[in-house]
Amino acid sequence: GGGGGEEEEEEVEGPPVTKVVLATGYVYSFPFLDETACGLTFEGERFVTPLYQHLMHAARPTLGFVGIPLAVPCPIPFFECQAAFLAEQWAKPDAALHGAEATARRQAWVAAMRDAVGSRDQDLHYTSTGARGPGTTSAWAYMRELLRATHATRPVDEAGDCWLERPSWEARLTTVEAVYADRGARYPKLPWEDDAYRRCEYTVDWASGTWSVDASRC
């Protein structure tokens, strides 16, 4: 590219193309909610606002949405982190949750995100958007941010009921991230190439954080 705005064409060898699918995304819909009554905007849009941390209504914090973000790498731990954050927020006294200072902080976060995406509203729920601050430009950083906020008011406990509550939570998340990265590195470069990576089998030792992969069938 010479910077003149022209697109370069590249020929790619492969089987004949018979159909083209334009993956243009989707719009959010909650037919059981009244936008005006709830103070939300989402109908026919590719975003939901105003949501603090992509999951809590900025002005009505007892209304939450788990699973709104796009391009989620590992849905189960991602949604678990969101749920843990919401649960801890909802456990706070009403004054702390609904106070003017807390509301202003949530609304400022939403405004910063809107400014960061500009006219590209469809990018609002990518957790890679850098408006959340330094070091928060990935879904993994987002998960850690939620859990650190959760543990700031509810310290971890070795006897916790799940991995989110134990001291080893960050080490476990790091292990999941490493396995996910290895799997991603095995993706085919082109859609019609062999998807043998799906046949890889991973073995994980959660206590030590080590893992191995059996790629014999890949």
Side-chain angles (χ1 to χ4, degrees):
E6 297 180 359
E7 295 184 2
E8 295 184 358
E9 294 184 1
E10 180 182 359
E11 292 187 3
V12 178
E13 293 185 2
V17 176
T18 57
K19 294 181 181 179
V20 176
V21 178
L22 300 179
T24 57
Y26 57 87
V27 297
Y28 292 92
S29 178
F30 302 99
F32 48 86
L33 293 179
D34 183 295
E35 279 187 294
T36 302
C38 293
L40 289 167
T41 299
F42 60 79
E43 195 62 43
E45 302 288 358
R46 297 171 69 178
F47 61 90
V48 183
T49 193
L51 294 186
Y52 172 63
Q53 289 287 9
H54 305 292
L55 74 156
M56 173 186 282
H57 195 306
R60 302 182 179 189
T62 54
L63 179 58
F65 299 78
V66 171
I68 292 291
L70 303 172
V72 173
C74 289
I76 292 177
F78 189 97
F79 299 155
E80 285 178 330
C81 292
Q82 286 195 311
F85 178 84
L86 269 183
E88 190 58 30
Q89 291 294 309
W90 288 343
K92 292 181 177 179
D94 272 359
L97 188 60
H98 296 276
E101 183 178 341
T103 299
R105 183 175 63 254
R106 291 190 296 265
Q107 291 174 331
W109 188 96
V110 173
M113 290 295 294
R114 295 300 299 268
D115 288 344
V117 300
S119 61
R120 289 187 57 84
D121 288 331
Q122 67 268 33
D123 293 345
L124 187 61
H125 297 304
Y126 280 104
T127 52
S128 58
T129 300
R132 299 197 330 278
T136 58
T137 53
S138 76
W140 302 100
Y142 170 74
M143 286 186 260
R144 291 182 173 91
E145 182 182 354
L146 293 184
L147 285 183
R148 288 189 181 117
T150 299
H151 297 147
T153 54
R154 184 184 181 185
V156 294
D157 182 355
E158 191 65 60
D161 291 333
C162 70
W163 69 274
L164 297 163
E165 301 173 344
R166 299 174 194 140
S168 59
W169 68 266
E170 187 158 9
R172 183 183 179 95
L173 200 55
T174 298
T175 302
V176 173
E177 183 179 7
V179 171
Y180 179 82
D182 181 82
R183 184 174 182 271
R186 299 172 187 272
Y187 287 169
K189 298 296 185 292
L190 297 171
W192 52 79
E193 292 180 342
D194 187 12
D195 63 349
Y197 75 94
R198 297 180 182 275
R199 296 188 287 277
C200 291
E201 295 186 2
Y202 290 85
T203 301
V204 178
D205 182 337
W206 295 110
S208 65
T210 58
W211 55 272
S212 60
V213 56
D214 179 359
S216 61
R217 296 191 298 164
C218 296

